Coordinates of all heavy atoms in Angstrom, one line a residue:
T284 N -50.1 49.4 -30.7 CA -48.6 49.4 -30.6 C -48.1 49.2 -29.2 O -47.2 48.4 -28.9 CB -48.0 50.7 -31.2 OG1 -48.4 50.8 -32.6 CG2 -46.5 50.8 -31.1
A285 N -48.8 49.9 -28.2 CA -48.5 49.7 -26.8 C -48.7 48.3 -26.4 O -47.9 47.7 -25.6 CB -49.3 50.7 -25.9
M286 N -49.8 47.7 -26.8 CA -50.1 46.3 -26.5 C -49.1 45.4 -27.0 O -48.6 44.5 -26.4 CB -51.5 45.9 -27.0 CG -52.6 46.6 -26.3 SD -54.2 46.4 -27.1 CE -54.4 44.6 -27.0
D287 N -48.7 45.7 -28.3 CA -47.7 44.8 -28.9 C -46.3 44.9 -28.3 O -45.5 44.0 -28.2 CB -47.6 45.1 -30.4 CG -47.2 44.0 -31.3 OD1 -47.7 42.9 -31.1 OD2 -46.2 44.1 -32.1
D288 N -46.0 46.2 -27.8 CA -44.7 46.4 -27.1 C -44.6 45.6 -25.9 O -43.5 45.1 -25.5 CB -44.6 47.9 -26.8 CG -44.2 48.7 -28.0 OD1 -43.9 48.1 -29.1 OD2 -44.3 50.0 -27.9
A289 N -45.8 45.3 -25.2 CA -45.8 44.5 -24.0 C -45.3 43.1 -24.2 O -44.5 42.6 -23.6 CB -47.1 44.6 -23.3
I290 N -45.9 42.5 -25.3 CA -45.6 41.1 -25.6 C -44.2 41.0 -26.2 O -43.5 40.0 -26.1 CB -46.7 40.4 -26.4 CG1 -46.5 38.9 -26.3 CG2 -46.8 40.9 -27.8 CD1 -47.7 38.1 -26.7
D291 N -43.9 42.1 -27.0 CA -42.5 42.1 -27.5 C -41.4 42.0 -26.4 O -40.5 41.3 -26.5 CB -42.2 43.4 -28.3 CG -42.9 43.3 -29.7 OD1 -43.4 42.3 -30.1 OD2 -43.0 44.4 -30.3
Q292 N -41.7 42.7 -25.3 CA -40.8 42.8 -24.2 C -40.8 41.4 -23.5 O -39.8 41.0 -22.9 CB -41.2 43.9 -23.2 CG -40.0 44.2 -22.2 CD -38.7 44.6 -22.9 OE1 -38.7 45.5 -23.7 NE2 -37.7 43.9 -22.6
M293 N -41.9 40.7 -23.4 CA -41.9 39.4 -22.9 C -41.0 38.5 -23.7 O -40.2 37.7 -23.2 CB -43.3 38.8 -23.0 CG -44.4 39.4 -22.1 SD -46.0 38.6 -22.3 CE -47.1 40.0 -21.9
Q294 N -41.0 38.6 -25.0 CA -40.1 37.8 -25.9 C -38.7 38.2 -25.6 O -37.8 37.3 -25.6 CB -40.5 38.0 -27.4 CG -39.7 37.1 -28.3 CD -39.8 37.5 -29.8 OE1 -39.8 38.7 -30.1 NE2 -39.9 36.5 -30.6
Q295 N -38.4 39.5 -25.4 CA -37.0 39.9 -25.1 C -36.5 39.2 -23.8 O -35.4 38.8 -23.7 CB -36.9 41.4 -25.0 CG -37.1 42.1 -26.3 CD -36.1 41.7 -27.3 OE1 -34.9 41.6 -27.1 NE2 -36.6 41.5 -28.5
T296 N -37.4 39.1 -22.8 CA -37.1 38.4 -21.6 C -36.8 36.9 -21.9 O -35.8 36.4 -21.4 CB -38.2 38.4 -20.6 OG1 -38.7 39.8 -20.5 CG2 -37.8 37.9 -19.2
A297 N -37.6 36.3 -22.7 CA -37.4 34.9 -23.0 C -36.1 34.7 -23.8 O -35.3 33.7 -23.6 CB -38.6 34.3 -23.8
K298 N -35.8 35.6 -24.7 CA -34.5 35.5 -25.4 C -33.3 35.6 -24.5 O -32.3 34.9 -24.7 CB -34.5 36.7 -26.5 CG -35.3 36.4 -27.7 CD -35.1 37.6 -28.7 CE -35.8 37.3 -30.0 NZ -35.6 38.4 -31.0
A299 N -33.4 36.5 -23.5 CA -32.3 36.6 -22.5 C -32.1 35.3 -21.8 O -31.0 34.9 -21.5 CB -32.5 37.7 -21.6
V300 N -33.2 34.7 -21.4 CA -33.1 33.4 -20.7 C -32.5 32.3 -21.5 O -31.7 31.5 -21.0 CB -34.6 33.0 -20.2 CG1 -34.6 31.6 -19.7 CG2 -35.1 34.0 -19.2
I301 N -32.9 32.3 -22.8 CA -32.3 31.3 -23.7 C -30.8 31.6 -23.9 O -30.0 30.7 -23.8 CB -33.0 31.3 -25.1 CG1 -34.4 30.7 -24.9 CG2 -32.2 30.5 -26.1 CD1 -34.4 29.2 -24.6
L302 N -30.5 32.8 -24.1 CA -29.1 33.2 -24.4 C -28.1 32.8 -23.3 O -27.1 32.3 -23.5 CB -29.0 34.7 -24.6 CG -27.6 35.3 -24.9 CD1 -27.0 34.7 -26.1 CD2 -27.7 36.9 -24.9
F303 N -28.6 33.1 -22.0 CA -27.7 32.9 -20.9 C -28.0 31.5 -20.2 O -27.5 31.2 -19.1 CB -27.9 34.0 -19.9 CG -27.5 35.3 -20.4 CD1 -28.4 36.4 -20.5 CD2 -26.2 35.6 -20.7 CE1 -28.0 37.6 -21.0 CE2 -25.7 36.8 -21.1 CZ -26.7 37.8 -21.3
E304 N -28.9 30.7 -20.8 CA -29.1 29.4 -20.4 C -29.6 29.3 -18.9 O -29.1 28.5 -18.1 CB -27.9 28.4 -20.6 CG -27.5 28.3 -22.1 CD -26.3 27.5 -22.3 OE1 -25.7 27.1 -21.3 OE2 -26.0 27.2 -23.5
V305 N -30.5 30.2 -18.5 CA -30.9 30.3 -17.2 C -32.0 29.2 -16.9 O -32.9 29.0 -17.7 CB -31.5 31.7 -16.9 CG1 -32.0 31.8 -15.4 CG2 -30.5 32.8 -17.2
R306 N -31.9 28.5 -15.8 CA -32.8 27.5 -15.4 C -33.4 27.7 -14.0 O -34.3 27.0 -13.7 CB -32.2 26.1 -15.6 CG -31.7 25.7 -16.9 CD -32.9 25.6 -17.9 NE -32.5 25.2 -19.2 CZ -32.1 26.1 -20.2 NH1 -32.1 27.4 -19.9 NH2 -31.7 25.6 -21.4
E307 N -32.9 28.6 -13.3 CA -33.4 28.9 -12.0 C -33.6 30.4 -11.8 O -32.9 31.2 -12.4 CB -32.3 28.5 -10.9 CG -32.1 27.0 -10.8 CD -31.1 26.6 -9.7 OE1 -30.7 27.5 -8.9 OE2 -30.7 25.4 -9.7
F308 N -34.7 30.7 -11.2 CA -35.1 32.2 -11.1 C -35.4 32.5 -9.6 O -35.9 31.7 -8.8 CB -36.4 32.4 -11.9 CG -36.1 32.1 -13.4 CD1 -36.4 30.8 -13.9 CD2 -35.7 33.1 -14.2 CE1 -36.1 30.5 -15.2 CE2 -35.4 32.8 -15.6 CZ -35.7 31.5 -16.1
E309 N -35.1 33.7 -9.3 CA -35.3 34.3 -7.9 C -36.7 34.4 -7.6 O -37.5 34.7 -8.5 CB -34.5 35.6 -7.7 CG -33.0 35.5 -8.1 CD -32.2 34.6 -7.2 OE1 -32.6 34.5 -5.9 OE2 -31.3 34.0 -7.6
P310 N -37.1 34.3 -6.3 CA -38.5 34.5 -5.9 C -39.1 35.8 -6.4 O -40.3 35.8 -6.8 CB -38.4 34.4 -4.3 CG -37.3 33.5 -4.1 CD -36.3 33.8 -5.1
P311 N -38.5 37.0 -6.3 CA -39.1 38.2 -6.8 C -39.4 38.1 -8.3 O -40.4 38.7 -8.7 CB -38.0 39.3 -6.4 CG -37.3 38.7 -5.3 CD -37.2 37.3 -5.6
M312 N -38.5 37.4 -9.0 CA -38.8 37.3 -10.5 C -40.1 36.5 -10.7 O -40.9 36.9 -11.5 CB -37.7 36.5 -11.2 CG -36.4 37.2 -11.2 SD -35.1 36.2 -12.0 CE -33.6 37.2 -11.8
R313 N -40.3 35.4 -9.9 CA -41.5 34.6 -10.0 C -42.8 35.5 -9.6 O -43.8 35.4 -10.2 CB -41.4 33.4 -9.2 CG -40.4 32.4 -9.7 CD -40.5 31.0 -9.2 NE -40.3 31.0 -7.7 CZ -39.1 30.8 -7.2 NH1 -38.0 30.6 -8.0 NH2 -39.0 30.7 -5.9
E314 N -42.6 36.3 -8.6 CA -43.7 37.2 -8.1 C -44.0 38.2 -9.2 O -45.2 38.5 -9.5 CB -43.3 37.8 -6.8 CG -44.5 38.6 -6.2 CD -44.2 39.1 -4.8 OE1 -43.2 38.6 -4.2 OE2 -45.0 39.8 -4.3
I315 N -43.0 38.8 -9.9 CA -43.2 39.7 -11.0 C -44.0 39.0 -12.1 O -45.0 39.6 -12.7 CB -41.9 40.2 -11.5 CG1 -41.3 41.2 -10.5 CG2 -42.2 41.0 -12.9 CD1 -39.9 41.7 -10.9
G316 N -43.7 37.7 -12.4 CA -44.4 37.0 -13.4 C -45.9 36.9 -13.1 O -46.7 37.0 -14.0
T317 N -46.2 36.7 -11.8 CA -47.6 36.6 -11.4 C -48.3 37.9 -11.6 O -49.5 38.0 -12.2 CB -47.7 36.2 -10.0 OG1 -47.1 34.9 -9.8 CG2 -49.2 36.2 -9.5
L318 N -47.6 39.0 -11.3 CA -48.2 40.4 -11.5 C -48.4 40.7 -13.0 O -49.4 41.4 -13.3 CB -47.3 41.4 -10.8 CG -47.2 41.3 -9.3 CD1 -46.2 42.4 -8.8 CD2 -48.5 41.4 -8.6
L319 N -47.5 40.2 -13.8 CA -47.7 40.5 -15.3 C -48.9 39.8 -15.8 O -49.5 40.3 -16.8 CB -46.4 40.1 -16.0 CG -45.1 40.9 -15.6 CD1 -43.9 40.4 -16.4 CD2 -45.3 42.4 -15.9
V320 N -49.2 38.6 -15.3 CA -50.4 37.9 -15.8 C -51.6 38.7 -15.4 O -52.6 38.9 -16.1 CB -50.5 36.5 -15.1 CG1 -51.9 35.8 -15.5 CG2 -49.4 35.6 -15.7

Side-chain angles (χ1 to χ4, degrees):
T284 298
M286 292 168 60
D287 206 50
D288 286 346
I290 196 165
D291 284 349
Q292 196 58 55
M293 294 180 209
Q294 185 189 41
Q295 292 303 313
T296 310
K298 282 184 175 180
V300 169
I301 291 293
L302 176 64
F303 296 115
E304 300 180 350
V305 182
R306 297 295 180 271
E307 295 182 6
F308 300 90
E309 303 296 325
M312 293 179 182
R313 294 196 293 272
E314 190 171 348
I315 289 173
T317 299
L318 296 180
L319 294 179
V320 172

